[in-house]
Amino acid sequence: MIALLIGCGTAQAEDSYPTYARVDYVLGCMLSNGQGPDVVRKCSCSIDEIAAHFPYDSYVAVETARGMQEAPGERAALMRDVGWIKDLLNEFRQAQVAADLKCF
């Protein structure tokens, strides 16, 4: 029993994506792909694959950049033309496509 608990703690420490980030991703994925247990499994698989290959800090930067780019006005337009943001978004899209190919 103790070994089982120690193993769980180790796995949790290695997982850098917090639960709320995974849930948020799965809910967004389900909005795009439908609902039901099968879709939950596919969307959960997708975020697991992304988390395995894309660091959480980069994921946060992607979400922040998306939010900034979607805002109205001049400041949002400035964010759309920043090279490193474009590169980061492209890298995330590639991770997402690879995850979706595996999971869907």
Coordinates of all heavy atoms in Angstrom, one line a residue:
M1 N 0.8 -1.2 0.0 CA 0.0 0.0 0.0 C 0.9 1.3 0.0 O 0.6 2.2 -0.8 CB -0.9 0.0 1.2 CG -1.8 1.2 1.3 SD -3.2 1.0 0.2 CE -4.3 2.2 0.9
I2 N 1.9 1.3 0.8 CA 2.8 2.5 0.9 C 3.5 2.6 -0.4 O 3.6 3.8 -0.9 CB 3.8 2.4 2.1 CG1 3.0 2.4 3.4 CG2 4.8 3.5 2.0 CD1 3.9 2.2 4.6
A3 N 4.0 1.5 -1.0 CA 4.7 1.6 -2.3 C 3.8 2.2 -3.4 O 4.2 3.0 -4.2 CB 5.2 0.3 -2.7
L4 N 2.5 1.8 -3.3 CA 1.5 2.4 -4.3 C 1.4 3.9 -4.1 O 1.3 4.6 -5.1 CB 0.2 1.6 -4.1 CG -1.0 2.1 -5.0 CD1 -0.6 1.7 -6.5 CD2 -2.2 1.3 -4.7
L5 N 1.3 4.3 -2.9 CA 1.1 5.8 -2.6 C 2.4 6.5 -3.0 O 2.3 7.6 -3.6 CB 0.8 6.0 -1.2 CG -0.5 5.5 -0.7 CD1 -0.7 5.7 0.8 CD2 -1.6 6.2 -1.4
I6 N 3.6 5.9 -2.8 CA 4.8 6.6 -3.2 C 4.9 6.7 -4.7 O 5.2 7.7 -5.3 CB 6.0 5.8 -2.6 CG1 6.1 5.9 -1.1 CG2 7.3 6.3 -3.3 CD1 7.1 5.1 -0.5
G7 N 4.5 5.6 -5.4 CA 4.4 5.7 -6.9 C 3.5 6.8 -7.4 O 3.8 7.5 -8.3
C8 N 2.3 6.9 -6.8 CA 1.4 7.9 -7.2 C 2.0 9.3 -7.0 O 1.9 10.2 -7.9 CB 0.1 7.8 -6.5 SG -0.9 6.4 -6.9
G9 N 2.7 9.6 -5.9 CA 3.3 10.9 -5.6 C 4.3 11.2 -6.6 O 4.5 12.3 -7.1
T10 N 5.1 10.2 -7.0 CA 6.2 10.4 -8.0 C 5.6 10.8 -9.4 O 6.0 11.7 -10.0 CB 7.0 9.1 -8.2 OG1 7.5 8.8 -6.9 CG2 8.2 9.4 -9.1
A11 N 4.6 10.0 -9.8 CA 3.9 10.3 -11.1 C 3.3 11.7 -11.1 O 3.5 12.4 -12.1 CB 2.9 9.3 -11.4
Q12 N 2.7 12.1 -10.0 CA 2.1 13.4 -9.9 C 3.2 14.5 -10.0 O 3.0 15.5 -10.6 CB 1.4 13.5 -8.6 CG 0.0 14.1 -8.8 CD -0.8 14.0 -7.6 OE1 -0.3 13.8 -6.5 NE2 -2.1 14.3 -7.7
A13 N 4.3 14.3 -9.4 CA 5.4 15.3 -9.4 C 6.0 15.5 -10.8 O 6.4 16.6 -11.2 CB 6.5 14.9 -8.4
E14 N 6.0 14.4 -11.6 CA 6.5 14.5 -13.0 C 5.5 15.2 -13.9 O 5.9 15.6 -15.0 CB 6.9 13.1 -13.5 CG 8.0 12.5 -12.7 CD 8.3 11.1 -13.2 OE1 7.5 10.6 -14.0 OE2 9.2 10.5 -12.6
D15 N 4.2 15.2 -13.6 CA 3.2 15.8 -14.4 C 3.1 17.3 -14.2 O 2.7 17.7 -13.2 CB 1.9 15.1 -14.1 CG 0.8 15.6 -15.0 OD1 1.0 16.3 -16.0 OD2 -0.4 15.3 -14.7
S16 N 3.6 18.0 -15.2 CA 3.6 19.5 -15.0 C 2.3 20.2 -15.4 O 2.2 21.4 -15.1 CB 4.8 20.1 -15.8 OG 4.6 19.8 -17.2
Y17 N 1.4 19.5 -16.0 CA 0.1 20.1 -16.4 C -0.9 20.0 -15.2 O -1.2 18.9 -14.9 CB -0.5 19.5 -17.6 CG 0.1 19.9 -19.0 CD1 1.4 19.9 -19.3 CD2 -0.8 20.4 -19.9 CE1 1.9 20.3 -20.5 CE2 -0.3 20.9 -21.2 CZ 1.0 20.8 -21.4 OH 1.5 21.2 -22.6
P18 N -1.3 21.1 -14.7 CA -2.3 21.0 -13.6 C -3.6 20.4 -14.1 O -4.0 20.6 -15.3 CB -2.4 22.4 -13.0 CG -1.9 23.3 -14.1 CD -1.0 22.5 -15.0
T19 N -4.4 19.9 -13.2 CA -5.7 19.3 -13.6 C -6.6 20.3 -14.3 O -7.2 20.0 -15.3 CB -6.4 18.7 -12.3 OG1 -5.5 17.8 -11.7 CG2 -7.7 18.1 -12.6
Y20 N -6.7 21.5 -13.8 CA -7.6 22.5 -14.4 C -7.2 22.8 -15.8 O -8.1 23.0 -16.7 CB -7.6 23.8 -13.6 CG -6.4 24.7 -13.6 CD1 -6.2 25.5 -14.6 CD2 -5.4 24.5 -12.6 CE1 -5.0 26.3 -14.7 CE2 -4.3 25.3 -12.6 CZ -4.1 26.2 -13.7 OH -2.9 26.9 -13.7
A21 N -5.9 22.8 -16.2 CA -5.5 23.0 -17.5 C -5.9 21.8 -18.4 O -6.4 22.0 -19.6 CB -4.0 23.2 -17.6
R22 N -5.8 20.6 -17.9 CA -6.3 19.4 -18.7 C -7.8 19.5 -18.9 O -8.3 19.2 -19.9 CB -5.8 18.2 -18.0 CG -4.3 17.9 -18.0 CD -3.9 16.7 -17.3 NE -2.5 16.4 -17.3 CZ -1.9 15.7 -18.2 NH1 -2.5 15.2 -19.2 NH2 -0.6 15.6 -18.2
V23 N -8.5 19.8 -17.8 CA -10.0 19.8 -17.9 C -10.4 20.9 -18.9 O -11.3 20.7 -19.7 CB -10.6 20.1 -16.5 CG1 -12.1 20.3 -16.6 CG2 -10.3 18.9 -15.6
D24 N -9.8 22.1 -18.8 CA -10.1 23.1 -19.7 C -9.9 22.7 -21.2 O -10.7 23.0 -22.0 CB -9.3 24.4 -19.4 CG -9.7 25.6 -20.2 OD1 -10.8 26.0 -20.2 OD2 -8.8 26.2 -20.9
Y25 N -8.8 22.0 -21.4 CA -8.5 21.6 -22.8 C -9.6 20.6 -23.2 O -10.1 20.6 -24.3 CB -7.1 20.9 -22.9 CG -6.8 20.5 -24.2 CD1 -6.1 21.3 -25.1 CD2 -7.1 19.2 -24.7 CE1 -5.8 20.9 -26.4 CE2 -6.8 18.8 -26.0 CZ -6.2 19.6 -26.8 OH -5.9 19.2 -28.1
V26 N -9.9 19.6 -22.4 CA -10.8 18.6 -22.7 C -12.2 19.2 -23.0 O -12.9 18.8 -23.9 CB -10.9 17.5 -21.6 CG1 -12.1 16.5 -21.8 CG2 -9.6 16.7 -21.6
L27 N -12.6 20.1 -22.2 CA -13.9 20.8 -22.4 C -14.0 21.5 -23.7 O -14.9 21.4 -24.5 CB -14.3 21.7 -21.2 CG -14.6 21.1 -19.9 CD1 -14.7 22.1 -18.8 CD2 -15.8 20.2 -20.0
G28 N -12.9 22.2 -24.0 CA -12.8 22.9 -25.3 C -12.8 21.9 -26.5 O -13.5 22.1 -27.5
C29 N -12.1 20.8 -26.3 CA -12.0 19.8 -27.3 C -13.4 19.2 -27.5 O -13.9 19.0 -28.7 CB -11.0 18.7 -26.9 SG -10.9 17.3 -28.0
M30 N -14.2 19.0 -26.5 CA -15.5 18.4 -26.6 C -16.5 19.4 -27.2 O -17.4 19.0 -28.0 CB -16.0 18.0 -25.2 CG -15.3 16.8 -24.6 SD -15.8 16.4 -22.9 CE -17.5 15.9 -23.2
L31 N -16.3 20.7 -27.0 CA -17.1 21.6 -27.7 C -16.9 21.6 -29.2 O -17.9 21.8 -30.0 CB -16.8 23.1 -27.2 CG -17.4 23.4 -25.9 CD1 -16.9 24.8 -25.4 CD2 -18.9 23.4 -25.9
S32 N -15.7 21.2 -29.6 CA -15.4 21.2 -31.0 C -15.8 19.8 -31.7 O -16.0 19.7 -32.9 CB -13.9 21.4 -31.3 OG -13.5 22.7 -30.8
N33 N -15.7 18.8 -30.9 CA -15.9 17.4 -31.4 C -17.1 16.6 -30.9 O -17.2 15.5 -31.3 CB -14.6 16.6 -31.0 CG -13.4 17.2 -31.7 OD1 -13.3 17.2 -32.9 ND2 -12.5 17.7 -30.9
G34 N -17.9 17.2 -30.1 CA -19.1 16.5 -29.6 C -18.9 16.0 -28.2 O -17.9 16.3 -27.6
Q35 N -20.0 15.4 -27.7 CA -19.9 14.9 -26.3 C -20.1 13.4 -26.3 O -20.5 12.8 -27.3 CB -21.0 15.6 -25.6 CG -20.8 17.1 -25.5 CD -21.9 17.9 -24.7 OE1 -22.8 17.2 -24.2 NE2 -21.8 19.2 -24.7
G36 N -19.9 12.9 -25.1 CA -20.0 11.5 -24.9 C -18.7 10.9 -24.4 O -17.6 11.5 -24.5
P37 N -18.8 9.7 -23.8 CA -17.6 9.0 -23.3 C -16.5 8.8 -24.3 O -15.3 9.0 -23.9 CB -18.2 7.7 -22.8 CG -19.6 7.8 -22.7 CD -20.0 8.9 -23.6
D38 N -16.8 8.5 -25.5 CA -15.8 8.3 -26.5 C -15.0 9.5 -26.8 O -13.8 9.5 -26.9 CB -16.4 7.7 -27.8 CG -15.4 7.2 -28.8 OD1 -14.5 6.5 -28.4 OD2 -15.5 7.6 -30.0
V39 N -15.7 10.7 -26.9 CA -15.1 11.9 -27.1 C -14.2 12.4 -25.9 O -13.1 12.9 -26.1 CB -16.1 13.0 -27.5 CG1 -15.4 14.4 -27.7 CG2 -16.9 12.6 -28.7
V40 N -14.7 12.1 -24.7 CA -13.9 12.4 -23.5 C -12.6 11.6 -23.6 O -11.5 12.2 -23.3 CB -14.7 12.0 -22.2 CG1 -13.8 12.2 -21.0 CG2 -15.9 12.9 -22.1
R41 N -12.7 10.4 -23.9 CA -11.4 9.6 -24.0 C -10.5 10.1 -25.1 O -9.3 10.2 -24.8 CB -11.8 8.1 -24.3 CG -12.2 7.3 -23.1 CD -12.3 5.8 -23.4 NE -13.4 5.5 -24.3 CZ -14.6 5.4 -24.0 NH1 -15.0 5.5 -22.7 NH2 -15.6 5.1 -24.8
K42 N -11.0 10.5 -26.2 CA -10.2 11.0 -27.3 C -9.6 12.3 -26.9 O -8.4 12.6 -27.1 CB -11.0 11.1 -28.6 CG -11.4 9.8 -29.2 CD -12.3 9.9 -30.4 CE -12.6 8.6 -31.0 NZ -13.5 8.7 -32.1
C43 N -10.3 13.2 -26.3 CA -9.8 14.5 -25.9 C -8.8 14.4 -24.8 O -7.8 15.1 -24.7 CB -11.0 15.4 -25.5 SG -12.0 15.9 -26.9
S44 N -9.1 13.5 -23.9 CA -8.1 13.3 -22.8 C -6.8 12.7 -23.3 O -5.7 13.1 -22.9 CB -8.7 12.3 -21.7 OG -9.8 12.8 -21.1
C45 N -6.9 11.8 -24.2 CA -5.7 11.3 -24.9 C -4.9 12.4 -25.6 O -3.7 12.5 -25.5 CB -6.1 10.2 -25.9 SG -4.8 9.6 -27.0
S46 N -5.6 13.3 -26.2 CA -5.0 14.4 -26.9 C -4.2 15.3 -26.0 O -3.0 15.6 -26.3 CB -6.1 15.2 -27.7 OG -5.5 16.2 -28.4
I47 N -4.8 15.7 -24.9 CA -4.0 16.5 -24.0 C -2.9 15.8 -23.3 O -1.8 16.3 -23.0 CB -4.9 17.2 -22.9 CG1 -4.2 18.3 -22.1 CG2 -5.6 16.2 -22.0 CD1 -3.6 19.4 -22.9
D48 N -3.1 14.5 -23.1 CA -2.0 13.7 -22.5 C -0.8 13.6 -23.5 O 0.4 13.7 -23.1 CB -2.5 12.2 -22.2 CG -3.4 12.2 -21.0 OD1 -3.5 13.1 -20.3 OD2 -4.1 11.1 -20.9
E49 N -1.1 13.5 -24.8 CA 0.0 13.5 -25.8 C 0.7 14.8 -25.9 O 1.9 14.9 -26.0 CB -0.6 13.0 -27.1 CG -0.9 11.6 -27.2 CD 0.4 10.7 -27.1 OE1 1.4 11.0 -27.8 OE2 0.3 9.8 -26.3
I50 N -0.1 15.9 -25.9 CA 0.4 17.2 -25.9 C 1.3 17.4 -24.7 O 2.5 17.9 -24.8 CB -0.7 18.3 -26.0 CG1 -1.3 18.2 -27.4 CG2 -0.1 19.7 -25.7 CD1 -2.6 19.0 -27.5
A51 N 0.8 17.1 -23.5 CA 1.6 17.2 -22.3 C 2.9 16.5 -22.3 O 3.9 16.9 -21.7 CB 0.8 16.8 -21.1
A52 N 2.9 15.3 -23.0 CA 4.1 14.5 -23.0 C 5.2 15.1 -23.9 O 6.4 14.8 -23.8 CB 3.8 13.1 -23.6
H53 N 4.8 16.0 -24.8 CA 5.8 16.5 -25.8 C 5.9 18.0 -25.8 O 6.7 18.6 -26.6 CB 5.4 16.0 -27.2 CG 5.4 14.5 -27.3 ND1 6.5 13.8 -27.3 CD2 4.3 13.7 -27.4 CE1 6.2 12.5 -27.4 NE2 4.9 12.4 -27.4
F54 N 5.0 18.7 -25.1 CA 5.0 20.2 -25.1 C 5.0 20.7 -23.7 O 4.1 20.4 -22.9 CB 3.7 20.7 -25.8 CG 3.8 22.1 -26.3 CD1 4.5 22.4 -27.5 CD2 3.1 23.1 -25.7 CE1 4.5 23.7 -28.0 CE2 3.2 24.4 -26.1 CZ 3.8 24.7 -27.3
P55 N 6.1 21.4 -23.2 CA 6.2 21.9 -21.8 C 5.0 22.7 -21.4 O 4.5 23.5 -22.2 CB 7.5 22.7 -21.8 CG 8.2 22.3 -23.1 CD 7.2 21.9 -24.1
Y56 N 4.6 22.6 -20.2 CA 3.5 23.4 -19.7 C 3.7 24.9 -19.8 O 2.8 25.7 -20.1 CB 3.1 23.0 -18.2 CG 2.0 23.8 -17.7 CD1 0.7 23.6 -18.2 CD2 2.1 24.7 -16.7 CE1 -0.4 24.3 -17.8 CE2 1.1 25.4 -16.2 CZ -0.2 25.2 -16.7 OH -1.3 26.0 -16.3
D57 N 4.9 25.3 -19.5 CA 5.2 26.8 -19.6 C 4.9 27.3 -21.0 O 4.4 28.4 -21.2 CB 6.7 27.1 -19.2 CG 7.0 26.9 -17.7 OD1 6.0 26.8 -17.0 OD2 8.1 26.8 -17.4
S58 N 5.3 26.5 -22.0 CA 5.0 26.9 -23.4 C 3.5 26.9 -23.7 O 3.0 27.7 -24.4 CB 5.7 25.9 -24.4 OG 7.1 26.1 -24.2
Y59 N 2.8 25.9 -23.1 CA 1.3 25.8 -23.2 C 0.7 27.1 -22.6 O -0.2 27.7 -23.3 CB 0.8 24.6 -22.5 CG -0.7 24.4 -22.6 CD1 -1.3 23.9 -23.7 CD2 -1.5 24.7 -21.5 CE1 -2.6 23.7 -23.8 CE2 -2.9 24.6 -21.6 CZ -3.4 24.0 -22.7 OH -4.8 23.9 -22.8
V60 N 1.2 27.5 -21.5 CA 0.6 28.8 -20.9 C 0.9 30.0 -21.8 O 0.1 30.8 -22.0 CB 1.2 29.0 -19.5 CG1 0.9 30.4 -19.0 CG2 0.8 27.9 -18.5
A61 N 2.1 30.0 -22.4 CA 2.5 31.1 -23.3 C 1.5 31.1 -24.5 O 1.1 32.1 -25.0 CB 3.9 31.0 -23.7
V62 N 1.2 29.9 -25.0 CA 0.3 29.7 -26.2 C -1.0 30.3 -25.8 O -1.6 31.0 -26.6 CB 0.2 28.3 -26.7 CG1 -0.9 28.0 -27.6 CG2 1.5 27.9 -27.3
E63 N -1.6 29.9 -24.7 CA -2.9 30.3 -24.3 C -2.9 31.8 -24.1 O -3.9 32.5 -24.4 CB -3.3 29.6 -23.0 CG -3.6 28.1 -23.2 CD -4.7 27.9 -24.2 OE1 -5.8 28.5 -24.2 OE2 -4.5 27.0 -25.1
T64 N -1.9 32.4 -23.5 CA -1.8 33.8 -23.3 C -1.7 34.5 -24.7 O -2.4 35.5 -24.9 CB -0.5 34.2 -22.5 OG1 -0.6 33.5 -21.2 CG2 -0.4 35.7 -22.2
A65 N -0.9 34.0 -25.6 CA -0.8 34.7 -26.9 C -2.1 34.6 -27.6 O -2.5 35.6 -28.3 CB 0.3 34.0 -27.7
R66 N -2.8 33.5 -27.6 CA -4.1 33.4 -28.2 C -5.1 34.4 -27.7 O -5.8 35.1 -28.4 CB -4.7 32.0 -28.0 CG -4.1 31.0 -28.9 CD -5.0 29.7 -28.7 NE -4.3 28.6 -29.3 CZ -4.7 27.3 -29.1 NH1 -5.8 27.1 -28.4 NH2 -4.0 26.3 -29.6
G67 N -5.1 34.5 -26.4 CA -6.0 35.5 -25.8 C -5.7 36.9 -26.2 O -6.6 37.7 -26.4
M68 N -4.4 37.2 -26.3 CA -4.0 38.6 -26.6 C -4.3 38.8 -28.1 O -4.7 39.9 -28.5 CB -2.5 38.8 -26.3 CG -2.2 38.8 -24.9 SD -0.4 38.7 -24.5 CE 0.0 40.4 -24.9
Q69 N -4.1 37.8 -29.0 CA -4.4 38.0 -30.4 C -5.8 38.2 -30.7 O -6.2 38.8 -31.7 CB -3.8 36.8 -31.2 CG -2.3 36.9 -31.2 CD -1.7 35.7 -32.1 OE1 -2.4 34.7 -32.3 NE2 -0.5 35.9 -32.5
E70 N -6.7 37.6 -29.9 CA -8.1 37.6 -30.1 C -8.7 38.9 -29.6 O -9.9 39.2 -29.9 CB -8.8 36.4 -29.5 CG -8.4 35.1 -30.2 CD -8.9 33.9 -29.5 OE1 -9.6 34.0 -28.4 OE2 -8.7 32.8 -29.9
A71 N -8.0 39.7 -28.8 CA -8.5 40.9 -28.3 C -8.7 41.9 -29.4 O -7.9 41.9 -30.4 CB -7.6 41.5 -27.2
P72 N -9.7 42.8 -29.3 CA -9.8 43.8 -30.4 C -8.8 44.9 -30.2 O -8.2 45.1 -29.2 CB -11.2 44.3 -30.1 CG -11.5 44.1 -28.7 CD -10.7 42.9 -28.3
G73 N -8.5 45.6 -31.3 CA -7.7 46.8 -31.2 C -6.3 46.7 -31.7 O -5.9 45.6 -32.2
E74 N -5.6 47.8 -31.7 CA -4.2 47.9 -32.2 C -3.2 47.0 -31.4 O -2.3 46.4 -32.1 CB -3.7 49.3 -32.0 CG -3.5 50.0 -33.3 CD -3.0 51.4 -33.1 OE1 -1.8 51.6 -32.7 OE2 -3.9 52.3 -33.2
R75 N -3.4 46.8 -30.2 CA -2.4 46.0 -29.4 C -2.5 44.6 -29.8 O -1.5 43.9 -29.9 CB -2.7 46.1 -27.9 CG -2.3 47.5 -27.3 CD -2.6 47.5 -25.9 NE -2.3 48.9 -25.4 CZ -2.5 49.3 -24.2 NH1 -3.1 48.5 -23.3 NH2 -2.3 50.5 -23.8
A76 N -3.7 44.1 -30.1 CA -3.8 42.7 -30.6 C -3.2 42.5 -31.9 O -2.5 41.5 -32.2 CB -5.3 42.3 -30.6
A77 N -3.3 43.5 -32.8 CA -2.7 43.5 -34.1 C -1.2 43.4 -34.0 O -0.5 42.7 -34.7 CB -3.1 44.7 -34.9
L78 N -0.6 44.1 -33.0 CA 0.8 44.0 -32.8 C 1.3 42.6 -32.4 O 2.3 42.1 -32.8 CB 1.3 45.0 -31.7 CG 1.1 46.5 -32.1 CD1 1.4 47.4 -30.8 CD2 2.1 46.9 -33.2
M79 N 0.5 41.9 -31.6 CA 0.8 40.6 -31.2 C 0.8 39.5 -32.3 O 1.4 38.5 -32.2 CB -0.1 40.1 -30.0 CG 0.0 41.0 -28.8 SD 1.7 41.1 -28.1 CE 2.0 39.4 -27.7
R80 N 0.0 39.8 -33.3 CA -0.1 38.9 -34.4 C 1.1 38.8 -35.3 O 1.3 37.9 -36.0 CB -1.4 39.2 -35.3 CG -2.7 38.9 -34.6 CD -3.8 39.2 -35.5 NE -5.0 39.4 -34.6 CZ -5.6 40.6 -34.4 NH1 -5.2 41.6 -35.1 NH2 -6.6 40.6 -33.6
D81 N 1.9 39.9 -35.2 CA 3.1 39.9 -36.1 C 4.4 39.6 -35.4 O 5.5 39.7 -36.0 CB 3.2 41.4 -36.7 CG 2.0 41.7 -37.6 OD1 1.5 40.7 -38.2 OD2 1.6 42.8 -37.7
V82 N 4.4 39.2 -34.2 CA 5.6 38.9 -33.4 C 6.1 37.5 -33.9 O 5.3 36.5 -33.7 CB 5.4 38.9 -31.9 CG1 6.6 38.5 -31.2 CG2 4.9 40.3 -31.5
G83 N 7.3 37.4 -34.3 CA 7.8 36.1 -34.9 C 7.9 35.0 -33.9 O 7.5 33.9 -34.2
W84 N 8.4 35.2 -32.7 CA 8.5 34.1 -31.7 C 7.1 33.6 -31.3 O 6.9 32.4 -31.0 CB 9.3 34.4 -30.5 CG 8.7 35.4 -29.6 CD1 8.9 36.8 -29.6 CD2 7.9 35.1 -28.5 NE1 8.2 37.3 -28.5 CE2 7.5 36.3 -27.8 CE3 7.3 33.9 -27.9 CZ2 6.7 36.4 -26.7 CZ3 6.5 34.0 -26.8 CH2 6.2 35.2 -26.2
I85 N 6.1 34.5 -31.3 CA 4.7 34.0 -31.0 C 4.2 33.1 -32.1 O 3.6 32.1 -31.9 CB 3.8 35.2 -30.7 CG1 4.2 35.9 -29.4 CG2 2.3 34.8 -30.7 CD1 3.4 37.1 -29.1
K86 N 4.4 33.6 -33.4 CA 4.0 32.7 -34.5 C 4.7 31.4 -34.5 O 4.0 30.3 -34.7 CB 4.4 33.4 -35.8 CG 3.5 34.6 -36.2 CD 4.0 35.2 -37.5 CE 3.1 36.3 -37.9 NZ 3.6 36.9 -39.2
D87 N 6.0 31.4 -34.2 CA 6.7 30.1 -34.1 C 6.1 29.2 -33.0 O 6.0 28.0 -33.2 CB 8.2 30.3 -33.8 CG 8.9 31.0 -35.0 OD1 8.3 31.0 -36.1 OD2 10.0 31.6 -34.8
L88 N 5.9 29.8 -31.8 CA 5.3 29.0 -30.7 C 4.0 28.4 -31.0 O 3.7 27.3 -30.8 CB 5.2 29.9 -29.4 CG 4.8 29.2 -28.2 CD1 5.8 28.1 -27.7 CD2 4.6 30.2 -27.1
L89 N 3.1 29.3 -31.6 CA 1.8 28.8 -32.0 C 1.9 27.7 -33.1 O 1.1 26.7 -33.0 CB 0.9 30.0 -32.6 CG 0.5 31.0 -31.5 CD1 -0.2 32.2 -32.2 CD2 -0.4 30.4 -30.5
N90 N 2.8 27.8 -34.0 CA 3.0 26.7 -35.0 C 3.5 25.4 -34.4 O 3.0 24.4 -34.7 CB 3.9 27.2 -36.1 CG 3.3 28.2 -37.1 OD1 2.1 28.2 -37.2 ND2 4.1 29.0 -37.7
E91 N 4.4 25.6 -33.4 CA 4.9 24.4 -32.7 C 3.8 23.7 -31.9 O 3.7 22.5 -31.9 CB 6.0 24.8 -31.8 CG 6.7 23.7 -31.1 CD 7.8 24.2 -30.1 OE1 8.2 25.3 -30.2 OE2 8.2 23.3 -29.3
F92 N 2.9 24.5 -31.3 CA 1.8 23.9 -30.6 C 0.8 23.2 -31.5 O 0.3 22.1 -31.3 CB 1.0 25.0 -29.7 CG -0.1 24.4 -29.0 CD1 0.0 23.6 -27.9 CD2 -1.4 24.6 -29.5 CE1 -1.0 23.0 -27.2 CE2 -2.5 24.1 -28.8 CZ -2.3 23.3 -27.7
R93 N 0.5 23.9 -32.6 CA -0.4 23.3 -33.6 C 0.1 21.9 -34.1 O -0.6 21.0 -34.3 CB -0.6 24.2 -34.8 CG -1.6 25.3 -34.5 CD -1.9 26.2 -35.7 NE -2.4 27.5 -35.3 CZ -1.6 28.6 -35.4 NH1 -0.4 28.6 -35.9 NH2 -2.1 29.7 -34.9
Q94 N 1.4 21.9 -34.3 CA 2.1 20.6 -34.8 C 1.9 19.5 -33.7 O 1.6 18.4 -34.0 CB 3.5 20.8 -35.1 CG 3.7 21.6 -36.4 CD 5.2 21.9 -36.6 OE1 6.1 21.6 -35.8 NE2 5.5 22.6 -37.7
A95 N 2.1 19.9 -32.4 CA 1.9 18.9 -31.3 C 0.4 18.5 -31.2 O 0.1 17.3 -31.0 CB 2.3 19.6 -30.0
Q96 N -0.5 19.5 -31.5 CA -1.9 19.2 -31.4 C -2.3 18.2 -32.5 O -3.1 17.3 -32.3 CB -2.7 20.5 -31.4 CG -4.1 20.3 -31.0 CD -4.8 21.7 -30.8 OE1 -4.5 22.6 -31.5 NE2 -5.7 21.7 -29.9
V97 N -1.8 18.5 -33.7 CA -2.1 17.6 -34.9 C -1.6 16.2 -34.7 O -2.3 15.2 -34.9 CB -1.6 18.3 -36.2 CG1 -1.6 17.2 -37.3 CG2 -2.4 19.5 -36.6
A98 N -0.4 16.1 -34.2 CA 0.2 14.8 -33.9 C -0.7 14.1 -32.9 O -0.9 12.9 -33.0 CB 1.6 14.9 -33.5
A99 N -1.1 14.8 -31.8 CA -1.9 14.2 -30.8 C -3.2 13.7 -31.3 O -3.7 12.6 -31.0 CB -2.1 15.1 -29.6
D100 N -3.8 14.6 -32.1 CA -5.2 14.2 -32.7 C -5.1 13.1 -33.7 O -6.0 12.2 -33.7 CB -5.8 15.5 -33.4 CG -6.3 16.5 -32.4 OD1 -6.3 16.2 -31.2 OD2 -6.6 17.6 -32.8
L101 N -4.0 13.0 -34.4 CA -3.8 11.8 -35.3 C -3.7 10.5 -34.5 O -4.2 9.5 -34.9 CB -2.6 12.0 -36.2 CG -2.7 13.0 -37.3 CD1 -1.3 13.2 -38.0 CD2 -3.7 12.6 -38.3
K102 N -3.0 10.6 -33.4 CA -2.9 9.4 -32.6 C -4.2 9.1 -31.8 O -4.6 7.9 -31.7 CB -1.8 9.6 -31.5 CG -1.6 8.4 -30.7 CD -0.4 8.5 -29.7 CE -0.2 7.3 -28.9 NZ 0.9 7.3 -28.0
C103 N -4.9 10.1 -31.4 CA -6.1 9.8 -30.5 C -7.4 9.8 -31.2 O -8.4 9.2 -30.7 CB -6.1 10.9 -29.4 SG -4.6 11.0 -28.4
F104 N -7.5 10.4 -32.3 CA -8.8 10.5 -33.0 C -8.8 9.6 -34.2 O -9.6 9.1 -34.8 CB -9.2 11.9 -33.4 CG -9.7 12.7 -32.3 CD1 -8.8 13.4 -31.5 CD2 -11.0 12.9 -32.1 CE1 -9.2 14.2 -30.5 CE2 -11.5 13.7 -31.0 CZ -10.6 14.3 -30.2

